[in-house]
Every structure is written in C-alpha cells, then in structure tokens.
Amino acid sequence: MNNNGLPPQPISPVNEFFWALIGLMLTIFGTFVEVFFVIPTNTTNLENIDTTSLGITYQLAGVFFTGMVGGRNAAAYAQIAYVIMGLFKLPIFYQGGSFDYIQYPSFGYILGFIPGAWLCGFLVLPGKRRLELFTISAFLGLLVIHLFGILYLILYTYLTPFLGNQLTPTYLWDAINLYTITPFPSQLALICAISVVAFIIRLILLY
C-alpha cells in the first residue's frame, strides 16, 4: 500500500522507456569512471584530501539504480540494449566492444547484468519505499551477476583447451578471485551508496 492507502501502481510504459534509457546511459558512462573513496587528511583544511581507488567502476550503479527507480522491465531493457550494442562493435564495454567479446572470460558477468537488474527491480517495484529493501534487492542482484560470471568462467575454463589454447591449472580459481572475490567488498559499498541515492530519488518522485 502507498501513503494514500491504495495499492502501488506499476510504472507506465513511457516511464519504463525513460528509465531504461537513463539506465543504459548510466551503465555506459559508469563503465569508464573509477570509484574513489575520498578521505580528508586535515579536518581544518579540506584542501588536503587523499583519494583511494576502490578498484571498481560505477558500472553496477547504473545496473541497480535503474531497477530501484524504474522497475524490472526498464532495468532489463537497459542491460539488454547494453549487451547488444557492445556486441555490435560499439566500444562501450570496459575493453572495447565486438562480437569477439564472448571469448573474454569476464563476459558472463556482463550477461549477468540482465537477470541481476531484473531481479533488483522485481523485488523493489511496485512496492513500498524501504531503504533496507533497496539494499537487499541490489545485493541479491549482485549475487546473480556473480553466479552468471562464475558459471561462464567454468565453461570458459573447460572449453578453451578444445580450441587449442592452454590454461594454467589454477586458472579457474585465479579468475574467480580476480573477477568475484577481490572486487566484491567494494561492490557491496557501491550498492549501499546507490541504494541511498535511489531511495532519495523515490522520495522526491513520490512513488
């Protein structure tokens, strides 16, 4: 129920298109913008500021923000468009873009954006504005992305030798450590921050 005692209403197709477009743009631009943590070293002089990289980009912010404010359809449409555009040679993936990107071990994580964004939006809209729900939905969406990514890594590891390329015995574990374990804490911090932003936007828009 909303504040007027009425059941929450689904987002209109026009608004879904609007948020899908915004989500696509945020995902593209976020792919190339690194996340930094800003720490003032002197409380009396804000000019002395240290910045520490979290080792990730704002890409996931676009993925989950769209789900939290635009719903499951807008979130999924944005990521489907992102994947298709990248595969058809637009340089919007982190290392460029082309159909050959399916040969990259990390491509499974990009494919995971679609179900991860959809799940996030499904859990949040239509429904009440609850910050903890926003955070939980993004967390579950993040788990889905990593699940797809790890499954893709497994397939990549076992199929690559048949294509004539040899991998090291520890390749699978090293790849999971690189793409999932190492960035996961920073990604958790990012989704907590974007949950707060989405919550504030929903308060302003009154839905």
Side-chain angles (χ1 to χ4, degrees):
M1 306 290 284
N2 59 25
N3 294 333
N4 298 321
L6 299 174
Q9 299 298 313
I11 295 180
S12 69
V14 173
N15 285 336
E16 284 184 340
F17 175 80
F18 172 75
W19 285 117
L21 186 60
I22 290 179
L24 174 61
M25 294 297 102
L26 288 175
T27 305
I28 293 173
F29 292 128
T31 299
F32 306 102
V33 181
E34 193 170 358
V35 179
F36 285 90
F37 184 64
V38 180
I39 307 175
T41 57
N42 190 333
T43 56
T44 60
N45 185 2
L46 294 181
E47 293 182 357
N48 297 324
I49 294 178
D50 282 345
T51 58
T52 302
S53 173
L54 293 185
I56 60 173
T57 69
Y58 282 98
Q59 189 178 45
L60 290 177
V63 175
F64 295 125
F65 177 81
T66 314
M68 293 180 208
V69 299
R72 61 181 183 266
N73 291 335
Y77 295 156
Q79 299 313 312
I80 290 172
Y82 178 70
V83 171
I84 292 175
M85 290 169 64
L87 289 178
F88 283 89
K89 297 188 177 182
L90 288 178
I92 57 176
F93 295 153
Y94 188 73
Q95 294 175 290
S98 72
F99 194 76
D100 291 339
Y101 219 89
I102 63 174
Q103 300 177 27
Y104 283 58
S106 60
F107 184 65
Y109 293 89
I110 297 177
L111 287 179
F113 288 175
I114 299 172
W118 184 93
L119 179 63
C120 178
F122 173 79
L123 294 175
V124 171
L125 281 170
K128 294 183 178 180
R129 296 185 299 266
R130 292 169 49 194
L131 180 57
E132 67 274 17
L133 179 60
F134 284 23
T135 305
I136 292 172
S137 68
F139 174 72
L140 294 177
L142 181 62
L143 291 182
V144 169
I145 291 174
H146 282 285
L147 175 61
F148 269 69
I150 291 172
L151 289 175
Y152 200 88
L153 285 175
I154 293 172
L155 288 174
Y156 180 88
T157 301
Y158 287 100
L159 291 179
T160 296
F162 292 101
L163 301 177
N165 297 319
Q166 296 301 315
L167 302 175
T168 64
T170 61
Y171 179 84
L172 178 58
W173 169 251
D174 292 341
I176 292 175
N177 182 61
L178 175 64
Y179 296 119
T180 291
I181 298 176
T182 298
F184 199 76
S186 297
Q187 291 171 344
L188 288 179
L190 178 62
I191 64 175
C192 289
I194 201 62
S195 296
V196 174
V197 173
F199 179 74
I200 294 173
I201 296 296
R202 289 274 301 275
L203 285 177
I204 295 173
L205 296 178
L206 300 177
Y207 72 90

